[in-house]
Amino acid sequence: MSSLTIPQFPAYQFQITLFQNVSNAETIRSKIADLSYAFIDPKLIVSQEQLYSAIYKALIEQKYNRLRTKTLHSECLFCLGPTSNIGDAFKKFGIKDDSRELICLKVINLSDNNDVKEDLDGIIDGERIVFNDDNLSKFYDRELIRKTYKLDKHFVPGNTEELSRALVNAIQLRGL
Amino acid sequence: MSQELVDQVSKYLTPAIPIEPISQGAEAVVFTTTIHPYLPTINEKQKFIIKYRPAKRYRHPIIDRSLTKHRTLSESRLLAKLYQIPGIHVPKLIACDPYNGCIWLEFLGEDLPDAFGFSNLKNFLWMHASENQNPYGDIVRETLFKVGEQIGLLHWNDYCHGDLTSSNIVLVKKDEKWEPYLIDFGLGSTSNLVEDKGVDLYVLERAILSTHSSYAEKYNEWLIEGFSEVYKSNGKQGAKKLNEVMKRFGEVRLRGRKRSMLG
Ligand SMILES: Nc1ncnc2c1ncn2[C@@H]1O[C@H](COP(=O)(O)O)[C@@H](O)[C@H]1O
């Protein structure tokens, strides 16, 4: 599990876990409404930078504009997308019944002592691996990303870093 | 920069993000910081740019907020679009908060040797005009040519900078050479008007002329060589468009002369 805090928003902590060889995605999906997590499909995630930039965006929206979804969990999922279509973002960035890999994002409100901590291992049948760019590179789908984020056809990223930068741009500017 | 303004920005960013003021313009204030807005610190020496558009008290608050949002977004959008054009060098956009008029950018450039200051084009040319340096050396010619190429790429793709001074061109050292990056798109726009392009070229020509008058002629020639190269590499149509831009550039220059004679 990786832990992240955003300097500008010290009230929250984000815990991120990457799973592979997941065998019960369908069951997880059926319980999603009762679980306070965001489950993200790594097919569209190329870097830590990309996910963290969406988290930052969600926090800015929450504090200075408004949440477009019900919780900070769902807002992070929504903020990963390049458009303002919530349903579309959930469908694309959320896990599918046949997902074999998933990213599990947990937002902890540090001032809220009643935060329930479910046991992820009781929920997910799969293997934890380190959430880093190396592991993410095994799962992402370049073409699907190009299409989802509508990247310019002349733009040919030379490496993951360049691709990630274009996605951060799209995320920071979404809906604005 | 007033303490009040620094305090206002510090309050927004929280004490977790220390800021160092580096410039104040009419529109925005610029700071550096060592903290990334959302990535863990990997290197204590890392630096980032925070560009903040403070509220203007003389404007109605609602109008002010909407203008700030609009300008912050417009600059960020340009940076995002330009990044996807092969060959164009602009700073990396890290984060954008249009509600507070705040943009985070990658820090570019470095300090030049011998106290010549920050590595923008202006200071670079000063350095090479100084004693024991060759103002017409290969490194100067090559760098100015590349600056011209950057502007050529920008214009060829129908973008204009709007404030093309020699401080808004930052040089980044790569393998002993300098790569020019265009910064400050606060007045930038998409435009296919030869007038806007002619004005961009004229503004830069004036900037070079006023700071390096003895060498300006050669410098501007090298700039235009680089600029033209981009257009010429686009065949017949490129050559035709280059002609149109150059013609207008000449007209803008003439207008400028007349104005200064009157003034
Ligand atoms: N990305 C950057 N990297 C380094 N310095 C910058 C950057 N952006 C702005 N600056 C500095 O801040 C000054 C004012 O920025 P601006 O308001 O964008 O023109 C510039 O003249 C530069 O010296």
Side-chain angles (χ1 to χ4, degrees), chain B residues 141 143-152 155 164 197-198 200-205 208 216-232 242 245-247 249-250 253:
Chain B
R141 186 179 50 77
T143 305
L144 283 164
F145 185 89
K146 284 197 266 189
V147 170
E149 279 183 322
Q150 284 300 307
I151 303 162
H155 285 183
L164 206 50
K197 296 173 187 176
D200 258 1
L201 291 174
Y202 179 63
V203 168
L204 185 58
E205 181 179 82
I208 304 256
E217 200 173 328
K218 204 77 210 146
Y219 288 177
N220 283 316
E221 197 180 303
W222 290 336
L223 277 171
I224 294 302
E225 273 174 25
F227 182 88
S228 306
E229 196 63 29
V230 173
Y231 274 75
K232 286 181 190 153
L242 176 63
V245 177
M246 284 302 142
K247 187 160 161 275
F249 175 27
R253 189 194 277 136

mmCIF file of all heavy atoms in Angstrom, chain B residues 141 143-152 155 164 197-198 200-205 208 216-232 242 245-247 249-250 253:
data_model
loop_
_atom_site.group_PDB
_atom_site.id
_atom_site.type_symbol
_atom_site.label_atom_id
_atom_site.label_comp_id
_atom_site.label_asym_id
_atom_site.label_seq_id
_atom_site.Cartn_x
_atom_site.Cartn_y
_atom_site.Cartn_z
ATOM 1 N N ARG B 141 24.625 32.029 -32.717
ATOM 2 C CA ARG B 141 23.896 31.867 -33.976
ATOM 3 C C ARG B 141 22.931 30.679 -33.884
ATOM 4 O O ARG B 141 21.747 30.768 -34.202
ATOM 5 C CB ARG B 141 24.873 31.642 -35.135
ATOM 6 C CG ARG B 141 24.186 31.621 -36.510
ATOM 7 C CD ARG B 141 25.186 31.424 -37.649
ATOM 8 N NE ARG B 141 26.077 30.295 -37.431
ATOM 9 C CZ ARG B 141 25.741 29.022 -37.607
ATOM 10 N NH1 ARG B 141 24.529 28.705 -38.031
ATOM 11 N NH2 ARG B 141 26.607 28.061 -37.363
ATOM 12 N N THR B 143 21.696 29.211 -31.240
ATOM 13 C CA THR B 143 20.610 29.410 -30.276
ATOM 14 C C THR B 143 19.520 30.317 -30.857
ATOM 15 O O THR B 143 18.335 30.024 -30.742
ATOM 16 C CB THR B 143 21.167 29.989 -28.959
ATOM 17 O OG1 THR B 143 22.205 29.125 -28.500
ATOM 18 C CG2 THR B 143 20.091 30.090 -27.902
ATOM 19 N N LEU B 144 19.949 31.397 -31.504
ATOM 20 C CA LEU B 144 18.954 32.314 -32.081
ATOM 21 C C LEU B 144 18.172 31.628 -33.205
ATOM 22 O O LEU B 144 16.969 31.840 -33.361
ATOM 23 C CB LEU B 144 19.633 33.587 -32.590
ATOM 24 C CG LEU B 144 19.992 34.557 -31.460
ATOM 25 C CD1 LEU B 144 20.999 35.596 -31.931
ATOM 26 C CD2 LEU B 144 18.738 35.242 -30.917
ATOM 27 N N PHE B 145 18.872 30.808 -33.975
ATOM 28 C CA PHE B 145 18.189 30.049 -35.026
ATOM 29 C C PHE B 145 17.098 29.170 -34.410
ATOM 30 O O PHE B 145 15.962 29.115 -34.894
ATOM 31 C CB PHE B 145 19.213 29.191 -35.778
ATOM 32 C CG PHE B 145 18.661 28.450 -36.969
ATOM 33 C CD1 PHE B 145 18.653 29.037 -38.233
ATOM 34 C CD2 PHE B 145 18.134 27.165 -36.826
ATOM 35 C CE1 PHE B 145 18.141 28.364 -39.339
ATOM 36 C CE2 PHE B 145 17.622 26.483 -37.930
ATOM 37 C CZ PHE B 145 17.625 27.073 -39.188
ATOM 38 N N LYS B 146 17.429 28.526 -33.306
ATOM 39 C CA LYS B 146 16.449 27.648 -32.649
ATOM 40 C C LYS B 146 15.295 28.431 -32.031
ATOM 41 O O LYS B 146 14.157 27.956 -32.009
ATOM 42 C CB LYS B 146 17.138 26.791 -31.574
ATOM 43 C CG LYS B 146 17.928 25.640 -32.189
ATOM 44 C CD LYS B 146 18.251 24.576 -31.167
ATOM 45 C CE LYS B 146 19.608 24.810 -30.570
ATOM 46 N NZ LYS B 146 20.076 23.706 -29.717
ATOM 47 N N VAL B 147 15.586 29.631 -31.553
ATOM 48 C CA VAL B 147 14.506 30.500 -31.065
ATOM 49 C C VAL B 147 13.557 30.798 -32.220
ATOM 50 O O VAL B 147 12.336 30.689 -32.104
ATOM 51 C CB VAL B 147 15.064 31.818 -30.465
ATOM 52 C CG1 VAL B 147 13.928 32.798 -30.187
ATOM 53 C CG2 VAL B 147 15.851 31.541 -29.200
ATOM 54 N N GLY B 148 14.154 31.145 -33.369
ATOM 55 C CA GLY B 148 13.344 31.408 -34.558
ATOM 56 C C GLY B 148 12.485 30.208 -34.933
ATOM 57 O O GLY B 148 11.310 30.349 -35.274
ATOM 58 N N GLU B 149 13.070 29.028 -34.833
ATOM 59 C CA GLU B 149 12.305 27.796 -35.132
ATOM 60 C C GLU B 149 11.110 27.634 -34.204
ATOM 61 O O GLU B 149 10.021 27.243 -34.637
ATOM 62 C CB GLU B 149 13.205 26.566 -34.969
ATOM 63 C CG GLU B 149 14.097 26.284 -36.145
ATOM 64 C CD GLU B 149 14.909 25.003 -35.909
ATOM 65 O OE1 GLU B 149 15.339 24.756 -34.763
ATOM 66 O OE2 GLU B 149 15.122 24.260 -36.877
ATOM 67 N N GLN B 150 11.320 27.927 -32.910
ATOM 68 C CA GLN B 150 10.210 27.803 -31.955
ATOM 69 C C GLN B 150 9.064 28.731 -32.346
ATOM 70 O O GLN B 150 7.898 28.331 -32.336
ATOM 71 C CB GLN B 150 10.685 28.134 -30.535
ATOM 72 C CG GLN B 150 11.507 27.033 -29.875
ATOM 73 C CD GLN B 150 10.732 25.730 -29.743
ATOM 74 O OE1 GLN B 150 9.630 25.696 -29.210
ATOM 75 N NE2 GLN B 150 11.290 24.648 -30.243
ATOM 76 N N ILE B 151 9.413 29.957 -32.710
ATOM 77 C CA ILE B 151 8.365 30.915 -33.090
ATOM 78 C C ILE B 151 7.721 30.482 -34.409
ATOM 79 O O ILE B 151 6.506 30.578 -34.582
ATOM 80 C CB ILE B 151 8.949 32.341 -33.189
ATOM 81 C CG1 ILE B 151 9.580 32.716 -31.852
ATOM 82 C CG2 ILE B 151 7.873 33.358 -33.548
ATOM 83 C CD1 ILE B 151 10.542 33.874 -31.935
ATOM 84 N N GLY B 152 8.551 29.968 -35.309
ATOM 85 C CA GLY B 152 8.021 29.470 -36.581
ATOM 86 C C GLY B 152 7.014 28.342 -36.356
ATOM 87 O O GLY B 152 5.931 28.324 -36.942
ATOM 88 N N HIS B 155 3.773 29.804 -34.949
ATOM 89 C CA HIS B 155 2.969 30.515 -35.945
ATOM 90 C C HIS B 155 2.442 29.586 -37.027
ATOM 91 O O HIS B 155 1.308 29.722 -37.476
ATOM 92 C CB HIS B 155 3.797 31.641 -36.575
ATOM 93 C CG HIS B 155 3.982 32.824 -35.673
ATOM 94 N ND1 HIS B 155 4.634 33.964 -36.051
ATOM 95 C CD2 HIS B 155 3.582 33.034 -34.391
ATOM 96 C CE1 HIS B 155 4.629 34.838 -35.054
ATOM 97 N NE2 HIS B 155 4.009 34.288 -34.033
ATOM 98 N N LEU B 164 6.088 38.633 -26.925
ATOM 99 C CA LEU B 164 7.317 37.902 -27.224
ATOM 100 C C LEU B 164 8.558 38.752 -26.955
ATOM 101 O O LEU B 164 9.194 39.244 -27.868
ATOM 102 C CB LEU B 164 7.261 37.452 -28.690
ATOM 103 C CG LEU B 164 8.051 36.219 -29.077
ATOM 104 C CD1 LEU B 164 7.764 35.057 -28.143
ATOM 105 C CD2 LEU B 164 7.695 35.818 -30.496
ATOM 106 N N LYS B 197 0.839 37.578 -36.118
ATOM 107 C CA LYS B 197 2.168 36.988 -36.285
ATOM 108 C C LYS B 197 3.207 38.078 -36.554
ATOM 109 O O LYS B 197 4.296 38.070 -35.982
ATOM 110 C CB LYS B 197 2.144 35.965 -37.418
ATOM 111 C CG LYS B 197 1.221 34.792 -37.082
ATOM 112 C CD LYS B 197 1.015 33.816 -38.217
ATOM 113 C CE LYS B 197 -0.050 32.812 -37.786
ATOM 114 N NZ LYS B 197 -0.407 31.853 -38.836
ATOM 115 N N GLY B 198 2.833 39.024 -37.409
ATOM 116 C CA GLY B 198 3.730 40.143 -37.704
ATOM 117 C C GLY B 198 4.066 40.925 -36.441
ATOM 118 O O GLY B 198 5.219 41.304 -36.214
ATOM 119 N N ASP B 200 3.992 39.779 -33.280
ATOM 120 C CA ASP B 200 4.893 38.943 -32.474
ATOM 121 C C ASP B 200 6.344 39.156 -32.913
ATOM 122 O O ASP B 200 7.228 39.404 -32.088
ATOM 123 C CB ASP B 200 4.558 37.450 -32.683
ATOM 124 C CG ASP B 200 3.754 36.855 -31.517
ATOM 125 O OD1 ASP B 200 3.449 37.597 -30.570
ATOM 126 O OD2 ASP B 200 3.436 35.645 -31.583
ATOM 127 N N LEU B 201 6.581 39.048 -34.216
ATOM 128 C CA LEU B 201 7.945 39.172 -34.739
ATOM 129 C C LEU B 201 8.504 40.565 -34.492
ATOM 130 O O LEU B 201 9.674 40.733 -34.137
ATOM 131 C CB LEU B 201 7.970 38.846 -36.243
ATOM 132 C CG LEU B 201 7.701 37.383 -36.605
ATOM 133 C CD1 LEU B 201 7.607 37.204 -38.120
ATOM 134 C CD2 LEU B 201 8.805 36.479 -36.046
ATOM 135 N N TYR B 202 7.645 41.548 -34.636
ATOM 136 C CA TYR B 202 8.087 42.932 -34.439
ATOM 137 C C TYR B 202 8.457 43.181 -32.976
ATOM 138 O O TYR B 202 9.471 43.809 -32.678
ATOM 139 C CB TYR B 202 6.981 43.897 -34.891
ATOM 140 C CG TYR B 202 7.342 45.344 -34.703
ATOM 141 C CD1 TYR B 202 8.414 45.912 -35.393
ATOM 142 C CD2 TYR B 202 6.618 46.155 -33.827
ATOM 143 C CE1 TYR B 202 8.756 47.242 -35.219
ATOM 144 C CE2 TYR B 202 6.949 47.489 -33.655
ATOM 145 C CZ TYR B 202 8.017 48.030 -34.345
ATOM 146 O OH TYR B 202 8.351 49.345 -34.162
ATOM 147 N N VAL B 203 7.636 42.670 -32.061
ATOM 148 C CA VAL B 203 7.903 42.855 -30.630
ATOM 149 C C VAL B 203 9.263 42.258 -30.266
ATOM 150 O O VAL B 203 10.072 42.880 -29.573
ATOM 151 C CB VAL B 203 6.777 42.226 -29.770
ATOM 152 C CG1 VAL B 203 7.176 42.151 -28.300
ATOM 153 C CG2 VAL B 203 5.486 43.025 -29.923
ATOM 154 N N LEU B 204 9.548 41.076 -30.779
ATOM 155 C CA LEU B 204 10.836 40.450 -30.468
ATOM 156 C C LEU B 204 11.990 41.230 -31.109
ATOM 157 O O LEU B 204 13.028 41.451 -30.485
ATOM 158 C CB LEU B 204 10.848 38.976 -30.928
ATOM 159 C CG LEU B 204 12.114 38.216 -30.542
ATOM 160 C CD1 LEU B 204 12.331 38.225 -29.031
ATOM 161 C CD2 LEU B 204 12.055 36.768 -31.034
ATOM 162 N N GLU B 205 11.779 41.668 -32.340
ATOM 163 C CA GLU B 205 12.821 42.454 -33.011
ATOM 164 C C GLU B 205 13.157 43.706 -32.209
ATOM 165 O O GLU B 205 14.322 44.046 -32.003
ATOM 166 C CB GLU B 205 12.365 42.844 -34.421
ATOM 167 C CG GLU B 205 13.419 43.632 -35.181
ATOM 168 C CD GLU B 205 12.980 43.994 -36.585
ATOM 169 O OE1 GLU B 205 12.240 44.989 -36.741
ATOM 170 O OE2 GLU B 205 13.374 43.276 -37.517
ATOM 171 N N ILE B 208 15.186 42.877 -29.075
ATOM 172 C CA ILE B 208 16.604 42.602 -29.366
ATOM 173 C C ILE B 208 17.321 43.913 -29.689
ATOM 174 O O ILE B 208 18.418 44.167 -29.216
ATOM 175 C CB ILE B 208 16.723 41.635 -30.566
ATOM 176 C CG1 ILE B 208 15.932 40.358 -30.290
ATOM 177 C CG2 ILE B 208 18.187 41.372 -30.910
ATOM 178 C CD1 ILE B 208 16.704 39.160 -29.919
ATOM 179 N N ALA B 216 22.202 43.707 -33.145
ATOM 180 C CA ALA B 216 20.798 43.352 -33.383
ATOM 181 C C ALA B 216 20.524 42.902 -34.811
ATOM 182 O O ALA B 216 19.770 41.949 -35.029
ATOM 183 C CB ALA B 216 19.892 44.519 -33.020
ATOM 184 N N GLU B 217 21.157 43.539 -35.759
ATOM 185 C CA GLU B 217 20.846 43.237 -37.154
ATOM 186 C C GLU B 217 21.115 41.763 -37.460
ATOM 187 O O GLU B 217 20.271 41.052 -37.991
ATOM 188 C CB GLU B 217 21.657 44.134 -38.074
ATOM 189 C CG GLU B 217 21.063 44.213 -39.459
ATOM 190 C CD GLU B 217 21.790 45.233 -40.321
ATOM 191 O OE1 GLU B 217 22.277 46.256 -39.769
ATOM 192 O OE2 GLU B 217 21.884 45.000 -41.533
ATOM 193 N N LYS B 218 22.322 41.343 -37.064
ATOM 194 C CA LYS B 218 22.709 39.939 -37.299
ATOM 195 C C LYS B 218 21.794 39.004 -36.504
ATOM 196 O O LYS B 218 21.358 37.965 -37.003
ATOM 197 C CB LYS B 218 24.169 39.773 -36.855
ATOM 198 C CG LYS B 218 24.919 38.640 -37.496
ATOM 199 C CD LYS B 218 25.365 38.928 -38.898
ATOM 200 C CE LYS B 218 25.471 37.737 -39.814
ATOM 201 N NZ LYS B 218 25.138 38.051 -41.194
ATOM 202 N N TYR B 219 21.532 39.368 -35.250
ATOM 203 C CA TYR B 219 20.711 38.505 -34.395
ATOM 204 C C TYR B 219 19.325 38.300 -34.996
ATOM 205 O O TYR B 219 18.808 37.185 -35.039
ATOM 206 C CB TYR B 219 20.578 39.112 -32.990
ATOM 207 C CG TYR B 219 21.842 39.038 -32.149
ATOM 208 C CD1 TYR B 219 21.897 39.597 -30.881
ATOM 209 C CD2 TYR B 219 22.983 38.395 -32.629
ATOM 210 C CE1 TYR B 219 23.038 39.524 -30.099
ATOM 211 C CE2 TYR B 219 24.142 38.328 -31.859
ATOM 212 C CZ TYR B 219 24.161 38.896 -30.597
ATOM 213 O OH TYR B 219 25.291 38.817 -29.842
ATOM 214 N N ASN B 220 18.740 39.392 -35.449
ATOM 215 C CA ASN B 220 17.395 39.271 -36.022
ATOM 216 C C ASN B 220 17.415 38.462 -37.316
ATOM 217 O O ASN B 220 16.484 37.709 -37.605
ATOM 218 C CB ASN B 220 16.777 40.652 -36.227
ATOM 219 C CG ASN B 220 16.271 41.234 -34.909
ATOM 220 O OD1 ASN B 220 15.642 40.530 -34.122
ATOM 221 N ND2 ASN B 220 16.561 42.498 -34.653
ATOM 222 N N GLU B 221 18.491 38.593 -38.053
ATOM 223 C CA GLU B 221 18.636 37.807 -39.278
ATOM 224 C C GLU B 221 18.640 36.300 -38.945
ATOM 225 O O GLU B 221 17.961 35.511 -39.591
ATOM 226 C CB GLU B 221 19.958 38.217 -39.926
ATOM 227 C CG GLU B 221 20.134 37.839 -41.374
ATOM 228 C CD GLU B 221 21.501 38.316 -41.861
ATOM 229 O OE1 GLU B 221 21.772 39.539 -41.755
ATOM 230 O OE2 GLU B 221 22.292 37.466 -42.294
ATOM 231 N N TRP B 222 19.383 35.938 -37.900
ATOM 232 C CA TRP B 222 19.439 34.515 -37.518
ATOM 233 C C TRP B 222 18.082 33.999 -37.033
ATOM 234 O O TRP B 222 17.696 32.864 -37.315
ATOM 235 C CB TRP B 222 20.509 34.314 -36.439
ATOM 236 C CG TRP B 222 21.901 34.489 -36.964
ATOM 237 C CD1 TRP B 222 22.307 34.343 -38.263
ATOM 238 C CD2 TRP B 222 23.068 34.860 -36.218
ATOM 239 N NE1 TRP B 222 23.642 34.588 -38.370
ATOM 240 C CE2 TRP B 222 24.152 34.907 -37.130
ATOM 241 C CE3 TRP B 222 23.323 35.145 -34.879
ATOM 242 C CZ2 TRP B 222 25.452 35.228 -36.738
ATOM 243 C CZ3 TRP B 222 24.618 35.458 -34.487
ATOM 244 C CH2 TRP B 222 25.668 35.505 -35.403
ATOM 245 N N LEU B 223 17.410 34.867 -36.274
ATOM 246 C CA LEU B 223 16.068 34.494 -35.805
ATOM 247 C C LEU B 223 15.156 34.177 -36.995
ATOM 248 O O LEU B 223 14.465 33.157 -37.025
ATOM 249 C CB LEU B 223 15.438 35.657 -35.034
ATOM 250 C CG LEU B 223 15.781 35.834 -33.574
ATOM 251 C CD1 LEU B 223 15.242 37.152 -33.061
ATOM 252 C CD2 LEU B 223 15.176 34.686 -32.774
ATOM 253 N N ILE B 224 15.177 35.091 -37.975
ATOM 254 C CA ILE B 224 14.289 34.938 -39.125
ATOM 255 C C ILE B 224 14.689 33.719 -39.959
ATOM 256 O O ILE B 224 13.832 33.037 -40.530
ATOM 257 C CB ILE B 224 14.262 36.234 -39.967
ATOM 258 C CG1 ILE B 224 13.609 37.356 -39.153
ATOM 259 C CG2 ILE B 224 13.511 36.042 -41.272
ATOM 260 C CD1 ILE B 224 12.194 37.077 -38.665
ATOM 261 N N GLU B 225 15.988 33.425 -39.995
ATOM 262 C CA GLU B 225 16.420 32.205 -40.690
ATOM 263 C C GLU B 225 15.762 30.973 -40.087
ATOM 264 O O GLU B 225 15.249 30.109 -40.794
ATOM 265 C CB GLU B 225 17.947 32.041 -40.598
ATOM 266 C CG GLU B 225 18.700 32.749 -41.699
ATOM 267 C CD GLU B 225 20.219 32.680 -41.492
ATOM 268 O OE1 GLU B 225 20.692 31.729 -40.818
ATOM 269 O OE2 GLU B 225 20.906 33.590 -41.987
ATOM 270 N N GLY B 226 15.789 30.902 -38.760
ATOM 271 C CA GLY B 226 15.182 29.755 -38.079
ATOM 272 C C GLY B 226 13.676 29.718 -38.300
ATOM 273 O O GLY B 226 13.085 28.660 -38.556
ATOM 274 N N PHE B 227 13.074 30.877 -38.195
ATOM 275 C CA PHE B 227 11.622 31.001 -38.401
ATOM 276 C C PHE B 227 11.252 30.515 -39.806
ATOM 277 O O PHE B 227 10.352 29.694 -39.986
ATOM 278 C CB PHE B 227 11.236 32.480 -38.229
ATOM 279 C CG PHE B 227 9.767 32.762 -38.373
ATOM 280 C CD1 PHE B 227 8.925 32.678 -37.280
ATOM 281 C CD2 PHE B 227 9.223 33.116 -39.601
ATOM 282 C CE1 PHE B 227 7.562 32.946 -37.399
ATOM 283 C CE2 PHE B 227 7.867 33.384 -39.731
ATOM 284 C CZ PHE B 227 7.043 33.292 -38.627
ATOM 285 N N SER B 228 11.980 31.013 -40.805
ATOM 286 C CA SER B 228 11.684 30.687 -42.203
ATOM 287 C C SER B 228 11.846 29.204 -42.492
ATOM 288 O O SER B 228 11.082 28.614 -43.260
ATOM 289 C CB SER B 228 12.608 31.465 -43.139
ATOM 290 O OG SER B 228 12.538 32.831 -42.862
ATOM 291 N N GLU B 229 12.854 28.619 -41.836
ATOM 292 C CA GLU B 229 13.144 27.203 -42.055
ATOM 293 C C GLU B 229 11.900 26.334 -41.811
ATOM 294 O O GLU B 229 11.607 25.410 -42.553
ATOM 295 C CB GLU B 229 14.274 26.812 -41.101
ATOM 296 C CG GLU B 229 14.964 25.516 -41.425
ATOM 297 C CD GLU B 229 15.667 25.535 -42.769
ATOM 298 O OE1 GLU B 229 16.095 26.634 -43.209
ATOM 299 O OE2 GLU B 229 15.757 24.453 -43.396
ATOM 300 N N VAL B 230 11.162 26.659 -40.749
ATOM 301 C CA VAL B 230 9.966 25.881 -40.409
ATOM 302 C C VAL B 230 8.929 25.988 -41.524
ATOM 303 O O VAL B 230 8.361 24.985 -41.968
ATOM 304 C CB VAL B 230 9.350 26.372 -39.082
ATOM 305 C CG1 VAL B 230 8.024 25.681 -38.806
ATOM 306 C CG2 VAL B 230 10.317 26.153 -37.933
ATOM 307 N N TYR B 231 8.711 27.200 -42.001
ATOM 308 C CA TYR B 231 7.723 27.402 -43.066
ATOM 309 C C TYR B 231 8.161 26.717 -44.349
ATOM 310 O O TYR B 231 7.383 26.048 -45.016
ATOM 311 C CB TYR B 231 7.495 28.904 -43.297
ATOM 312 C CG TYR B 231 6.458 29.495 -42.371
ATOM 313 C CD1 TYR B 231 6.753 29.733 -41.028
ATOM 314 C CD2 TYR B 231 5.177 29.796 -42.823
ATOM 315 C CE1 TYR B 231 5.805 30.269 -40.170
ATOM 316 C CE2 TYR B 231 4.218 30.331 -41.972
ATOM 317 C CZ TYR B 231 4.537 30.559 -40.655
ATOM 318 O OH TYR B 231 3.589 31.073 -39.808
ATOM 319 N N LYS B 232 9.458 26.888 -44.687
ATOM 320 C CA LYS B 232 9.960 26.320 -45.944
ATOM 321 C C LYS B 232 9.906 24.798 -45.956
ATOM 322 O O LYS B 232 9.792 24.187 -47.017
ATOM 323 C CB LYS B 232 11.398 26.784 -46.197
ATOM 324 C CG LYS B 232 11.479 28.235 -46.641
ATOM 325 C CD LYS B 232 12.935 28.614 -46.893
ATOM 326 C CE LYS B 232 13.083 30.107 -47.092
ATOM 327 N NZ LYS B 232 14.442 30.551 -46.709
ATOM 328 N N LEU B 242 4.827 32.013 -45.650
ATOM 329 C CA LEU B 242 5.985 32.728 -45.114
ATOM 330 C C LEU B 242 6.045 34.130 -45.733
ATOM 331 O O LEU B 242 6.274 35.121 -45.033
ATOM 332 C CB LEU B 242 7.267 31.951 -45.429
ATOM 333 C CG LEU B 242 8.571 32.643 -45.009
ATOM 334 C CD1 LEU B 242 8.648 32.835 -43.500
ATOM 335 C CD2 LEU B 242 9.784 31.846 -45.491
ATOM 336 N N VAL B 245 3.493 36.391 -44.099
ATOM 337 C CA VAL B 245 3.874 36.827 -42.750
ATOM 338 C C VAL B 245 4.987 37.877 -42.828
ATOM 339 O O VAL B 245 4.940 38.909 -42.158
ATOM 340 C CB VAL B 245 4.331 35.637 -41.873
ATOM 341 C CG1 VAL B 245 4.792 36.124 -40.508
ATOM 342 C CG2 VAL B 245 3.215 34.628 -41.690
ATOM 343 N N MET B 246 5.974 37.601 -43.665
ATOM 344 C CA MET B 246 7.116 38.508 -43.766
ATOM 345 C C MET B 246 6.698 39.881 -44.302
ATOM 346 O O MET B 246 7.196 40.913 -43.866
ATOM 347 C CB MET B 246 8.198 37.919 -44.684
ATOM 348 C CG MET B 246 8.991 36.830 -44.023
ATOM 349 S SD MET B 246 9.737 37.509 -42.537
ATOM 350 C CE MET B 246 9.611 36.223 -41.471
ATOM 351 N N LYS B 247 5.767 39.838 -45.252
ATOM 352 C CA LYS B 247 5.276 41.095 -45.831
ATOM 353 C C LYS B 247 4.608 41.917 -44.731
ATOM 354 O O LYS B 247 4.881 43.108 -44.578
ATOM 355 C CB LYS B 247 4.289 40.766 -46.957
ATOM 356 C CG LYS B 247 3.841 41.958 -47.743
ATOM 357 C CD LYS B 247 3.287 41.536 -49.113
ATOM 358 C CE LYS B 247 2.427 42.626 -49.708
ATOM 359 N NZ LYS B 247 1.032 42.606 -49.250
ATOM 360 N N PHE B 249 5.008 41.604 -41.511
ATOM 361 C CA PHE B 249 6.042 41.972 -40.529
ATOM 362 C C PHE B 249 6.669 43.312 -40.964
ATOM 363 O O PHE B 249 6.809 44.245 -40.168
ATOM 364 C CB PHE B 249 7.071 40.846 -40.454
ATOM 365 C CG PHE B 249 8.263 41.103 -39.578
ATOM 366 C CD1 PHE B 249 8.214 41.957 -38.485
ATOM 367 C CD2 PHE B 249 9.471 40.437 -39.851
ATOM 368 C CE1 PHE B 249 9.328 42.154 -37.682
ATOM 369 C CE2 PHE B 249 10.578 40.638 -39.048
ATOM 370 C CZ PHE B 249 10.515 41.501 -37.969
ATOM 371 N N GLY B 250 6.991 43.415 -42.237
ATOM 372 C CA GLY B 250 7.564 44.650 -42.771
ATOM 373 C C GLY B 250 6.622 45.828 -42.593
ATOM 374 O O GLY B 250 7.047 46.933 -42.207
ATOM 375 N N ARG B 253 6.457 46.898 -38.954
ATOM 376 C CA ARG B 253 7.691 47.606 -38.618
ATOM 377 C C ARG B 253 7.610 49.054 -39.105
ATOM 378 O O ARG B 253 7.966 49.990 -38.395
ATOM 379 C CB ARG B 253 8.857 46.884 -39.287
ATOM 380 C CG ARG B 253 10.212 47.393 -38.850
ATOM 381 C CD ARG B 253 11.277 46.880 -39.779
ATOM 382 N NE ARG B 253 11.759 45.548 -39.488
ATOM 383 C CZ ARG B 253 11.961 44.606 -40.413
ATOM 384 N NH1 ARG B 253 11.658 44.842 -41.675
ATOM 385 N NH2 ARG B 253 12.429 43.439 -40.083
#
